[in-house]
Amino acid sequence: MREGKETPVTSLPARTEVLVVGAGFAGLAAAARLVGRGFDDVTVIERAATVGGTWRDNHYPGAACDVPSQLYSLSFAPNPDWSHSFSRQAEIQAYLESVADRFGLRPRIVTETTLLEAAWDDAAGLWRVRTSRGEIAARFLVSATGALSEPMIPDLPGLDAFGGEVWHSARWRHDVDLRGKRVAVVGTGASAVQIVPVVARQAKSVVLLQRTPAWILPRVDRRLSRWEKAAYRRFPRLQRAVRRAIFWGREIFVLGFTVQPRLMALPRRIALRHLHRQVPDPVLRAKLTPSYAIGCKRILISSDFYPALSQPHVELVGAGLTGATAGRITTSDGGRHEVDVLVFATGFRVTDLPVSRQIRGRAGDTLEQAWGDGMHAHRGTTVPGFPNLFLVVGPNTGLAHSSQLFMIESQVEYVVKALEHARGEQAQVLEVRAEPEARWNTQVQRRMRRTVWVVGGCSSWYLDARGRNTALWPGGSWRFRLALRRFDAAAYRFERRADDALVTERADPLAASS
């Protein structure tokens, strides 16, 4: 399944109370919860023709989730009909389509509409938003574009002269027949380990360019029986109990990531045993053995990646891509490889969210400019100088051990409570104060210093240009849920309009600092 069904194009209204940008998991969750809690004037803009976000775009061969299916659904919209213990891309996309239908969101979603710029109008106390379909004014702006929305493609010398087919894994070309083709795949991350086994069954030859090997655990996947699915449909509490059990089982991993690295000894042994069992060639095995602590980079799961690399027509090159010429690529070890198709499985722009260039705050600066020293946000959600703006999947809200949907729901609930508080106070504007936001991020980075992502001896996409981890949450997801369980109104200032004048109410600074 490459695309979901197209959502009928809704006209863009001139004004809305809440504008949600993006219709992936984060955007749909935000819209569904806001509407469910009485916010009727909600509009969602989506640049594609349908909902789905990451799971709509990443339809490459073998695409599947590496989080157990029972954790990979919204808690308020359970799915008893997953086909496998690890869901495939097509059914996750179908699930997202069903969420849009189940909560009546499609009439609120304006598809094929790209955000061009959102600028805060301080005099009016609202956001002026330019889109590819026109302009819209919004009292509140919820950015739900996600962290995995903009592909990272390196600036490669000679690429224009290559002459063959080139694409990123998130923009897969299904119209290109790979049979008889010489294919090069760049990267050995989560996408590559799923792509290579499938492509190797089709292509004449495959060259995989690896700068750093990954720690890989076996994928213990199975088809769920019709009896299990029937039980989940009849007894929803049973599915919730299974979900809780899997959730707490995954939470154990975070102790090894953030508290005691010795707890990762067992997963390390399992990964090494998996490598030894599947790769008999000692030379190839050495190339695939990481030298950094397990967990420093994303741990992958696969049971067919290693066997694919052991095939005679598949070559692993332990070097980076340095250039291209007509029908050929060059690597940092001096190698030259004749290829017809070049696939970049090089991930996404995570630590410099592209949407930050399109949002201008109170002072006229973009969010990117405000983040000159790296991304930061109060509770990963709000930023000083950017009133009425909420980021879902914002700075330091990512997870390396469990379902991102748990974090999304935590943030969405926080956003809903913030808007409910503003409505109760008859305030049109709320803005996080600089001091609480700075304290929050200082605490996050202090806790981050001892984590495996910082001290594990690797370079990963979790780290920004300054070497700071601004992507992940440095603890258990349950701790994040507790931190966002209530709206901390004392950390904000509120503004309301009376007689066309702007009346400002400031929270007690002593309460905010407690």
Side-chain angles (χ1 to χ4, degrees), residues 116-166:
L116 301 178
E117 183 182 58
W120 175 253
D121 183 338
D122 205 36
L126 47 76
W127 286 94
R128 304 287 185 188
V129 181
R130 288 193 305 110
T131 78
S132 59
R133 197 177 288 276
E135 297 185 0
I136 179 172
R139 180 69 65 188
F140 300 99
L141 182 64
V142 179
S143 174
T145 57
L148 305 179
S149 58
E150 292 295 331
M152 176 73 78
I153 300 178
D155 185 10
L156 185 67
L159 188 59
D160 291 342
F162 174 61
E165 302 287 354
V166 181

Side-chain angles (χ1 to χ4, degrees), residues 205-209 284 287 308-309 311-317 333 336-337:
S205 65
V206 177
V207 175
L208 176 63
L209 306 187
L284 178 59
K287 289 183 179 181
L309 296 183
Q311 297 177 89
H313 69 297
V314 179
E315 179 184 3
L316 176 66
V317 177
D333 61 355
R336 296 183 178 185
H337 304 271

Side-chain angles (χ1 to χ4, degrees), residues 207-227:
V207 175
L208 176 63
L209 306 187
Q210 169 192 273
R211 288 192 300 179
T212 310
W215 286 102
I216 300 178
L217 296 174
R219 185 183 185 90
V220 184
D221 190 21
R222 66 180 182 85
R223 180 176 290 278
L224 300 182
S225 71
R226 59 191 180 99
W227 302 109

Side-chain angles (χ1 to χ4, degrees), residues 378-379 432-437 439-440 443 486 488-493 506-514:
H378 183 60
R379 283 159 164 70
V432 68
R433 299 168 58 245
E435 296 87 350
E437 194 257 5
R439 281 197 300 274
W440 169 268
Q443 293 169 1
R486 64 177 181 85
D488 50 335
Y492 291 76
R493 68 183 189 89
R506 296 185 183 275
D508 180 358
L510 295 179
S513 62
S514 62

Side-chain angles (χ1 to χ4, degrees), residues 234-300:
R234 184 172 179 81
F235 305 107
R237 289 184 179 181
L238 173 61
Q239 187 174 25
R240 289 197 294 269
V242 171
R243 180 185 174 105
R244 281 195 297 271
I246 297 173
F247 170 81
W248 287 110
R250 304 283 289 200
E251 286 296 283
I252 294 173
F253 271 92
V254 82
L255 296 175
F257 292 157
T258 64
V259 179
Q260 183 48 263
R262 286 183 297 179
L263 295 175
M264 297 303 293
L266 179 58
R268 186 178 187 277
R269 284 199 297 271
I270 293 173
L272 288 175
R273 185 180 303 118
H274 181 52
L275 174 61
H276 277 255
R277 285 177 174 174
Q278 291 203 320
V279 182
D281 179 2
V283 176
L284 178 59
R285 193 165 62 231
K287 289 183 179 181
L288 292 167
T289 304
S291 59
Y292 55 88
I294 187 170
C296 183
K297 295 170 74 76
R298 183 175 176 178
I299 299 175
L300 308 180

Side-chain angles (χ1 to χ4, degrees), residues 1-4 23-24 46-59 89 93 96-97 170:
M1 180 176 179
R2 301 173 196 173
E3 292 279 347
E46 166 57 51
R47 65 184 179 183
T50 189
V51 305
T54 296
W55 290 104
R56 177 199 59 236
D57 296 341
N58 286 270
H59 45 74
Q89 177 270 337
Q93 173 64 19
L96 286 162
E97 299 278 0

